[in-house]
Amino acid sequence: MRKKLIAANWKMNGGLVANRDLTQAILKGVPENASSVVLCVPFPYLAQVGAMLQGSSIALGAQNSSEYGSGAYTGEVEAGMLVELGCSYVILGHSERRVLFGETDDQVAAKVVKALAAGLRPIVCVGESELERAGGKTKEVVERQLEAVLDVMPDVGRASLIVAYEPVWAIGTGRSASPEDAQEVHLHIRGLLQRRFGTDARGVPLLYGGSVKPANASALFAKPDIDGGLIGGASLVAGDFLAICAAGDLMN
Ligand code: 13P
């Protein structure tokens, strides 16, 4: 069984004092031999949280990066800048970026290419809306989103790629996908990766995201193709996040 990877997505939350308290509590509470843990924090706080994580087993990540190299792109953040600040992960193609900021499949794919070139591990988010699920289009949507990335990604990126299945209707709603439904989509994603990567597909961590809480984490992580979680709301509450990390360890 793959070691679980638990990534926190703080989204646009936090502040200097709150970040310090939350990071301290997480550092204190992460169990020994813990699942791999990543904190993806807002850009302005990367340096603060990165400094606190130094020397620990917890990794730092960002929540977006540009499809461009450095240059005249006001307001954008280049992948190499994130590496300089100590990031080793970056979330790309989150549904909030796709829906609220109009990111396209091609843009997400270009971001992945740049992130990989900079040495980051991209956490590529895919997932269907409620309407798409109701229309029986879940697998088709996930496939389209992922294939856009796989079509342009260099072969060497295989070892770094992480995929997060996040059904849009489950994000922030308290209504997680059932472990069975999530497993079904994860298995489909695994199959898709297998067609491209052969046996290397087994090494690609597939995370589930969408209302993961201490109460449902163990059941989700018990599924064979769910290799960890991408945690939103519960990652802002130290006790909840730690409980989810502990649930990840139980399944090692
Ligand atoms: P919630 O855990 O708050 O549902 O958010 C999930 C998510 O979007 C993580 O990227």
Side-chain angles (χ1 to χ4, degrees):
M1 168 104 25
R2 266 167 293 267
K3 194 170 165 64
K4 303 295 174 191
L5 175 64
I6 314 289
N9 178 5
W10 288 6
K11 308 193 178 184
M12 197 170 72
N13 291 293
L16 291 172
V17 174
N19 303 341
R20 186 202 56 203
D21 293 350
L22 180 57
T23 308
Q24 260 169 6
I26 291 169
L27 278 167
K28 217 184 279 171
V30 162
E32 252 173 68
N33 306 318
S35 314
S36 313
V37 177
V38 187
L39 302 185
C40 298
V41 312
F43 291 137
Y45 301 129
L46 286 170
Q48 180 204 11
V49 175
M52 292 184 71
L53 297 182
Q54 248 178 25
S56 81
S57 60
I58 302 178
L60 185 68
Q63 300 169 16
N64 187 22
S65 61
S66 178
E67 67 263 48
Y68 301 113
S70 52
Y73 302 102
T74 303
E76 288 291 285
V77 175
E78 191 231 340
M81 297 172 180
L82 300 176
V83 173
E84 205 173 25
L85 279 170
C87 288
S88 34
Y89 295 79
V90 63
I91 297 170
L92 293 173
H94 192 281
S95 65
E96 285 148 19
R97 300 229 43 97
R98 293 178 190 264
V99 174
L100 302 172
F101 302 101
E103 278 188 18
T104 64
D105 292 342
D106 288 348
Q107 232 176 327
V108 174
K111 287 176 180 219
V112 171
V113 170
K114 278 280 186 272
L116 286 168
L120 292 167
R121 294 195 72 178
I123 302 173
V124 178
C125 300
V126 297
E128 81 288 2
S129 67
E130 182 136 48
L131 207 66
E132 288 163 338
R133 171 157 283 254
K137 295 205 162 22
T138 298
K139 288 176 184 165
E140 188 186 313
V141 169
V142 163
E143 217 165 295
R144 191 202 71 225
Q145 291 172 330
L146 193 55
E147 282 191 329
V149 170
L150 300 176
D151 281 347
V152 297
M153 204 185 83
D155 276 358
V156 289
R158 288 175 190 187
S160 300
L161 181 69
I162 297 162
V163 178
Y165 169 56
E166 297 207 310
V168 180
W169 48 270
I171 295 177
T173 58
R175 197 155 63 89
S176 166
S178 70
E180 292 69 30
D181 285 349
Q183 165 61 23
E184 189 184 334
V185 180
H186 280 230
L187 185 63
H188 185 73
I189 293 172
R190 186 85 64 200
L192 199 151
L193 291 171
Q194 232 142 25
R195 287 202 293 281
R196 298 273 188 148
F197 297 170
T199 51
D200 288 351
R202 267 187 257 138
V204 178
L206 304 185
L207 312 185
Y208 168 79
S211 297
V212 179
K213 307 286 177 202
N216 60 17
S218 296
L220 286 160
F221 297 160
K223 292 295 175 193
D225 288 288
I226 300 184
D227 304 318
L230 182 53
I231 321 298
S235 75
L236 299 171
V237 180
D240 285 358
F241 186 64
L242 290 169
I244 293 168
C245 293
D249 275 337
L250 290 177
M251 304 301 155
N252 274 342

